[in-house]
Amino acid sequence: SVRHIEMCKVKDPFLLWGVPLSVLPSFGFLFDIDGVLVRGKTPIPAAKTAFQKLVNSQGQFVVPVVFVTNAGNCLRQEKADQLSQLLGVPDQVMMSHSPLRMFKRYHDKCVLVSGQGPLLDIAQDLGFGQPITIETLREKHPLLDVVDHDRRPDVLVTVILFGEPVRWETNLQLIIDVLLTSGYPGNPYHHENYPHIPVLACNMDLMWVAEAQSPRFGHGTFMVCLENIYKKITGKDLKYEALMGKPSKVTYQYAEYLIRAQAAERQWQHPIHTLYAVGDNLMTDVYGANLYNRYLEENSRQGSKSRLASAAAAHCRSVLVCTGVYNPHTEVPLDTRASIAETVFHGHRDFRFEPGLVEPDHIVPDVDAAVDLVFQLENFAPN
């Protein structure tokens, strides 16, 4: 169930009788962008008010902040520049593909990239030295020769799905070719080529909201097609080495890494104990934050020492705002909300629906109220 519901602004977040206020943060914010800070290219008024509290006179954040978006069809710097121009905030944008920086073992390998936008620039910016686009592979395909090695490209060792492509049929065909031939498209299919070469996928959104009257197919829909075609041909499941973008754990792990890096750069000595993920979507922002919170709490209990489980935070709290896709005026009773959510759940195949994961810790009108609430919960007053 919803553990706290705050449907009005906190009048005075610093009015905490008898309790000394902290001036050094032991928490960080993970802000969604669309529906929380902006609508399209228009800033939400509450966002400007919120950042007056979050950014000091030197133009620095007073607490660690990362903007976490599932967008992935442009360079990270381009998205950061857009947000800075709209709201005047420092550059701390994280795209759906940003965690690929952690997969250094593939950075010097020949990888096939699929999606839209400046794919080669995006891949190279993330550290990949030998990316090949579907278009390049399509042009080379008629010339592939299993005998003439001089005319055959390097073996493809990984497939990276950045987002939904324009020509779905071409992308589906050539990606299947690569998977079924262990990276040698043009060779005959062999059923023993399983498990297939690694697949890394960003942004699992089944649908996205456009200017059209109804939602458009997103990258998640393309992935559904790819998964089903692969299984129809082989009788086996397509496996992902990693899934990125909200609500995946990898995304929140990388976001927390960026939060901790900010705190270290500013020489804030307090450990970051709590992350507050502020979003407008129950199925991505809230689900992802609650899933990561469970991961943090389980690892805290188990005392895990693994590299990916070395997160310093103890909790990740979900804060739902009412300025985007969530509409409080269509609220339904709690006992029926879970069944409705499961019916419309658009999560990826590998994310099992759990009713408790779509219940936010807090509900507030907008991002400004979210900042006030968190400052109060953390007994925090910026210096």
Side-chain angles (χ1 to χ4, degrees), residues 109-362:
K109 308 297 184 182
C110 190
V111 300
L112 178 66
V113 296
S114 170
Q116 295 186 41
L119 289 176
L120 292 180
D121 292 338
I122 294 171
Q124 289 165 356
D125 183 62
L126 291 167
F128 294 94
Q130 300 184 63
I132 291 180
T133 65
I134 292 289
E135 289 71 22
T136 300
L137 184 62
R138 180 177 59 84
E139 292 170 0
K140 289 178 177 291
H141 198 270
L143 301 178
L144 290 178
D145 190 326
V146 297
V147 176
D148 187 348
H149 288 252
D150 291 333
R151 291 198 299 166
R152 194 170 74 186
D154 293 336
V155 59
L156 294 159
V157 301
T158 309
V159 176
I160 301 177
L161 308 176
F162 280 108
E164 67 273 14
V166 175
R167 297 181 60 180
W168 285 35
E169 72 286 355
T170 298
N171 282 256
L172 290 168
Q173 178 68 73
L174 294 186
I175 292 170
I176 291 292
D177 286 340
V178 169
L179 295 178
L180 294 181
T181 60
S182 294
Y184 289 100
N187 281 10
Y189 288 177
H190 293 292
H191 289 292
E192 62 267 21
N193 289 334
Y194 191 86
H196 51 71
I197 65 174
V199 179
L200 305 171
C202 312
N203 186 352
M204 297 161 279
D205 292 345
L206 190 75
M207 302 283 217
W208 61 282
V209 179
E211 295 179 357
Q213 293 297 314
S214 58
R216 304 291 86 193
F217 291 152
H219 189 218
T221 308
F222 177 80
M223 291 166 65
V224 168
C225 295
L226 182 66
E227 293 156 10
N228 280 278
I229 293 170
Y230 183 84
K231 185 159 189 175
K232 191 74 172 179
I233 294 173
T234 67
K236 299 175 181 178
D237 288 332
L238 188 148
K239 303 288 187 180
Y240 296 96
E241 176 158 340
L243 292 167
M244 283 154 277
K246 295 176 288 188
S248 81
K249 181 179 68 177
V250 173
T251 289
Y252 289 86
Q253 286 173 330
Y254 190 69
E256 185 181 354
Y257 161 77
L258 296 177
I259 288 285
R260 295 201 308 270
Q262 279 184 59
E265 184 178 353
R266 297 288 297 279
Q267 297 184 328
W268 287 324
Q269 299 302 316
H270 286 196
I272 302 299
H273 289 302
T274 307
L275 304 174
Y276 290 93
V278 183
D280 67 314
N281 193 318
L282 289 169
M283 305 306 171
T284 54
D285 302 311
V286 171
Y287 187 101
N290 290 343
L291 186 66
Y292 192 56
N293 180 69
R294 184 169 67 185
Y295 163 78
L296 291 174
E297 293 183 346
E298 287 176 352
N299 279 320
S300 178
R301 288 192 297 269
Q302 296 169 2
S304 176
K305 302 296 184 182
S306 69
R307 180 177 62 86
L308 284 179
S310 61
H315 306 286
C316 182
R317 302 304 187 197
S318 53
V319 183
L320 181 67
V321 300
C322 306
T323 51
V325 299
Y326 176 74
N327 184 354
H329 301 297
T330 59
E331 191 74 355
V332 298
L334 291 177
D335 58 351
T336 61
R337 186 189 305 174
S339 61
I340 293 175
E342 184 169 16
T343 300
V344 301
F345 183 62
H346 290 161
H348 183 263
R349 165 200 83 177
D350 294 351
F351 288 83
R352 181 169 57 89
F353 176 80
E354 297 182 45
L357 294 181
V358 294
E359 292 295 337
D361 290 303
H362 309 277

